[in-house]
Amino acid sequence: TTMNVEHEINLLVEEIRRLGTKNADGQVSVKFGVLFADEKCANLFEALVGTLKAAKRRKIVTYQGELLLQGVHDNVDIMLLQD
């Protein structure tokens, strides 16, 4: 459901803030591998990659590439676009 997706995106934003770091521009980013390996995130999101894609479509986060895979894309930065 849409409601569920919105909720998961909000949780995702909170987790990115918790695990991420701010750059000089004040934007928060986190490595995909950090997010994926986090135990709390693992329990929160049944489909982390799906939630990330939905958040990217809504311009809430941005990252390189389309599909993120554990291991392959662990060093990809996921950046929050809005505070």
Side-chain angles (χ1 to χ4, degrees):
T1 60
T2 317
M3 190 57 211
N4 214 2
V5 173
E6 293 293 327
H7 180 62
E8 288 199 346
I9 289 173
N10 288 336
L11 290 174
L12 176 69
V13 168
E14 280 176 34
E15 294 309 302
I16 292 172
R17 285 209 186 103
R18 179 173 69 89
L19 296 165
T21 50
K22 271 192 178 179
N23 66 15
D25 300 325
Q27 282 183 305
V28 178
S29 72
V30 65
K31 301 269 183 221
F32 176 65
V34 172
L35 209 55
F36 203 95
D38 184 72
E39 202 175 324
K40 191 175 168 201
C41 283
N43 294 331
L44 267 182
F45 309 114
E46 288 167 39
L48 177 62
V49 170
T51 305
L52 280 167
K53 279 179 81 169
K56 188 179 184 182
R57 270 200 307 274
R58 288 170 169 78
K59 308 264 188 274
I60 293 165
V61 302
T62 188
Y63 52 84
Q64 286 291 311
E66 206 39 56
L67 188 65
L68 295 173
L69 299 171
Q70 186 191 11
V72 185
H73 297 119
D74 281 357
N75 277 325
V76 172
D77 283 309
I78 296 161
M79 187 169 289
L80 274 184
L81 293 175
Q82 39 188 258
D83 212 18

